[in-house]
Amino acid sequence: METFNFPGGCYEVMRRGMRDATAEADFLAAYLPPGGRVLDLGCGTGTTLRALAARGYAGTGVDSSAQFISYAKEAGDPGVEYVWEDVTRFHTSTVYDVVTCLFGTLNLVPYADLPGLLTRVASWLRPGGHLVLDAAHLLNFVDAYQPAVVTHHRGDGLLITRLARQVLRPLDGAWINDETLLVRGTDGTVSMYENTFAQTVLTGPEIRGLLRSSGFTIVEEFGGFRKESPAPSGRGPLITVARVS
Ligand SMILES: C[S@@+](CC[C@H](N)C(=O)[O-])C[C@H]1O[C@@H](n2cnc3c(N)ncnc32)[C@H](O)[C@@H]1O
């Protein structure tokens, strides 16, 4: 089943309320040389690459959502290319200064595919280049768990009501998100989209172990894109910066 198959404009509105795009772009820019190149795996609608292009960086975005890639291409900047592809099937001979995978996108890749993907990522980085990974870990899932969540997101003339149902499959380590989006426009139109996706639940040690066994050395870990320290309890975001060993 194709996931994230709804208009990119709706995702942009919801993302604005959930993420600090400026902090994310500032964080990534700190690992890029002037005019450097970034590869964004699971780039969504290209939000991060657009923010980086505005700072003078080029790059590539890869995403499996046709609608998101189409939005990104239309809103795109010179110097940024977008590829409609599953990250597990993506190959490139280009070498990047930074490879990133944000907003839990790595969790959307089945566990069995992670070692191969991360090993390929290591080969796409120039010597001294960095992987910036923002993967959800077990405590993020546990803390955020609610059997059903209703949130409202307003912007760009849209009111989006998101109904999310969450189911845990403990023996698979999979967290199923079954979302319904009701999108109301100021012109009175109402559209409805279904978005169901499985997330691979990873613990902090598993994320570190996967990186190390794929050829990375962990350089730094943060609890947020403003370079906050990770919480001693292990709660909150985990941003991992790694370099090829
Ligand atoms: C939560 S969104 C995050 C998007 C983007 N990283 C951001 O920060 O806005 C997850 C994205 O991963 C994409 N995705 C999920 N599985 C994928 C896969 N196997 N290959 C490529 N993209 C994938 C979805 O289409 C969606 O755009």
Side-chain angles (χ1 to χ4, degrees):
M1 184 196 309
E2 197 190 335
T3 59
F4 294 89
N5 187 19
F6 57 90
C10 298
Y11 178 75
E12 284 278 313
V13 170
M14 292 194 291
R15 192 188 196 282
R16 261 176 239 151
M18 298 179 186
R19 306 285 294 188
D20 183 346
T22 304
E24 289 167 334
D26 289 346
F27 185 98
L28 292 169
Y31 294 97
L32 283 162
R37 290 189 64 81
V38 56
L39 171 64
D40 187 355
L41 295 173
C43 64
T45 46
T47 325
T48 307
L49 287 171
R50 274 195 303 286
L52 288 170
R55 291 162 168 78
Y57 302 107
T60 307
V62 183
D63 201 283
S64 56
S65 163
Q67 294 203 56
F68 285 12
I69 284 292
S70 157
Y71 180 98
K73 281 183 174 169
E74 269 173 41
D77 292 273
V80 180
E81 58 161 353
Y82 291 100
V83 181
W84 177 36
E85 183 60 282
D86 191 305
V87 292
T88 61
R89 287 195 288 268
F90 173 73
H91 291 278
T92 181
S93 53
T94 305
V95 170
Y96 294 88
D97 301 289
V98 165
V99 178
T100 191
C101 188
L102 301 178
F103 201 175
T105 301
L106 196 78
N107 303 83
L108 295 163
V109 175
Y111 191 87
D113 292 331
L114 289 174
L117 172 63
L118 290 170
T119 303
R120 287 191 295 283
V121 168
S123 74
W124 300 330
L125 279 168
R126 70 158 167 82
H130 291 91
L131 168 65
V132 176
L133 188 60
D134 163 31
H137 62 84
L138 177 64
L139 290 182
N140 302 141
F141 287 102
V142 171
D143 287 346
Y145 177 70
Q146 292 184 52
V149 189
V150 181
T151 54
H152 302 284
H153 310 265
R154 198 187 290 273
D156 299 345
L158 300 174
L159 172 60
I160 304 171
T161 301
R162 175 174 161 266
L163 309 149
R165 297 159 295 277
Q166 300 175 350
V167 178
L168 174 63
R169 288 205 315 246
L171 295 183
D172 301 337
W175 199 279
I176 315 301
N177 249 60
D178 186 12
E179 299 182 343
T180 304
L181 305 178
L182 289 169
V183 183
R184 282 169 275 181
T186 42
D187 58 359
T189 53
V190 181
S191 312
M192 190 169 89
Y193 305 96
E194 289 293 332
N195 186 33
T196 301
F197 53 91
Q199 291 167 285
T200 302
V201 179
L202 299 165
T203 63
E206 277 175 319
I207 294 171
R208 292 182 200 111
L210 278 164
L211 287 172
R212 289 189 182 118
S213 60
S214 308
F216 286 96
T217 298
I218 294 168
V219 180
E220 293 176 288
E221 287 184 336
F222 296 98
F225 284 99
R226 298 202 178 273
K227 300 209 166 181
E228 299 92 335
S229 300
S233 63
R235 301 201 121 82
L238 178 64
I239 318 300
T240 310
V241 181
R243 218 172 19 217
V244 179
S245 305

